[in-house]
């Protein structure tokens, strides 16, 4: 099969398109003929050797996939050859064939095409578990979303609206904020030149927000933490802007909480919560309340370019690599 292969830790440029042996599913795994795989910021981190998972060389990056079941391990139940599925992967999505654990695989519902399915798992699942189980977001509350046009940011905007929250979306350009508004944001803040805390306070009658969803960190953390109301919940989802230090005194004075949320730990330690999130998400999708935004579809040979759209901060929504696309 063709795959985008990493042979050593380093820059994305060293990834090469190669013919390799297809993966063999274990007893609990499903072999998927990949139609679409969304790129994630974590792909770049994994290739650099800085991700929690360090696959053996050679490997293909790619943490999710949508496609068709072509083989099942001996202990797999509930899936048939030819089923349309979407899955979370340990790695290997940027290839014509990929393996997924059956526990990390879901049937694609009727009416969902492979573009939406390819864009769905990581962004929607991660945002939902973060807001539902760590942020305890409730209807009528106010949600602040940083990086709101990015992969997990934009899905957090949509999910926040589906929860019945008032959503304040923050991003670095007018174009990105327009995208967040098209996906439901009630208010927007351009943190490239506006004072984040001052704007939040103006938008909330000096009360602050109930929940902050933060996939960025870095310099945005301090003003975003200061924007939390009494009893506010700060949910760390990622650190593309740098890892902040949490000043405990500023949690104490307003009974605030800071927590982390990592999809992988829901897979491993709280699968019931993850399944509950997925059921809600698929229901909302069927009702038309979630609208995955795919801005680019690139062939496998342009996989490096696809990931670089994220690392160069040029993307919004989701970027798909289509292993069977030829041009
Ligand atoms: N915890 C989890 O379960 C989980 C799941 C998925 C992803 N993540 C993490 O969440 C973070 C975002 O992932 P993603 O796939 O949503 O990425 P993405 O699509 O690239 O979105 C990240 C957003 O962050 C903003 N940003 C600020 N500083 C940036 C910088 N120096 N470089 C790039 N973007 C920057 C960008 O928006 P502006 O230009 O508007 O600022 C961008 O839209 C990553 O750290 C990723 O590993 C965590």
């Amino acid at each position: 099969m063709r795959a985008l292969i990493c042979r050593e830790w380093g820059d994305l440029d060293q990834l090469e398109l190669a013919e390799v042996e297809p993966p063999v599913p274990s007893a609990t795994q499903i072999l998927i003929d990949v139609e679409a795989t969304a790129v994630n910021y974590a792909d770049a981190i994994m290739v650099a050797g800085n991700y929690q998972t360090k696959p053996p060389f050679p490997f293909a990056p790619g943490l999710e996939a949508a496609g068709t079941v072509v083989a099942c391990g001996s202990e797999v139940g509930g899936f048939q050859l030819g089923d349309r599925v979407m899955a979370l992967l340990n790695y290997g999505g940027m290839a014509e064939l990929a393996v997924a654990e059956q526990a990390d695989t879901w049937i694609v519902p009727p009416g969902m095409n492979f573009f939406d399915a390819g864009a769905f798992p990581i962004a929607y699942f991660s945002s939902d578990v973060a807001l539902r189980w760590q942020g305890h977001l409730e209807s009528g509350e106010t949600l602040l979303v940083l990086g709101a046009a990015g992969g997990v940011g934009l899905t957090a905007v949509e999910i926040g609206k589906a929860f019945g929250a008032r959503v304040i979306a923050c991003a670095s350009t007018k174009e990105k904020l327009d995208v967040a508004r098209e996906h439901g944001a009630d208010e927007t803040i351009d943190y490239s030149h506006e004072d984040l805390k001052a704007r939040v306070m103006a938008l909330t009658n000096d009360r602050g927000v109930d929940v902050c969803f933060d996939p960025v960190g870095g310099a945005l953390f301090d003003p975003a933490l200061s924007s939390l109301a009494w009893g506010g919940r700060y949910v760390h989802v990622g650190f593309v802007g740098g890892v902040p230090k949490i000043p405990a005194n500023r949690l104490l004075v307003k009974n605030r909480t800071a927590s982390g949320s990592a999809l992988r730990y829901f897979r491993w330690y709280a699968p019931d919560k993850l399944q509950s999130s997925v059921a809600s998400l698929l229901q909302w999708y069927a009702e038309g309340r979630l609208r995955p935004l795919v801005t680019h579809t690139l062939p496998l040979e342009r996989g490096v370019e696809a990931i670089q759209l994220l690392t160069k901060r040029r993307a919004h929504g989701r970027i798909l690599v289509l292993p069977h696309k030829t041009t």
Side-chain angles (χ1 to χ4, degrees), residues 12-55:
L12 292 167
D13 293 329
Q14 48 97 5
L15 294 176
E16 78 180 75
L17 190 64
E19 281 286 337
V20 294
E21 287 299 312
V24 177
S26 71
T28 57
Q29 287 181 328
I30 291 170
L31 184 65
I32 301 170
D33 186 346
V34 180
E35 294 286 346
T37 178
V39 297
N40 288 281
Y41 204 88
D43 295 326
I45 301 171
M46 182 182 278
V47 169
N50 296 327
Y51 196 60
Q52 296 101 319
T53 304
K54 291 188 173 55

Side-chain angles (χ1 to χ4, degrees), residues 40-42 45 122 126 147 149-153 171-173 176 191 215-216 237-241 261-263 310-311 313 315 317-318:
N40 288 281
Y41 204 88
I45 301 171
I122 288 190
S126 302
V152 292
S172 66
T173 67
K176 289 181 177 182
Y191 49 52
V216 181
V237 178
F239 304 111
V240 289
S261 182
L263 178 59
L310 297 192
T311 57
R313 211 171 167 175
R318 310 246 54 206

Side-chain angles (χ1 to χ4, degrees), residues 208-244:
V209 298
D210 299 291
V211 176
C212 176
F213 177 95
D214 183 1
V216 181
L220 294 179
F221 170 69
D222 193 73
L225 178 64
S226 298
S227 306
L228 273 191
W230 288 87
R233 288 88 72 198
Y234 202 103
V235 187
H236 294 278
V237 178
F239 304 111
V240 289
V243 182

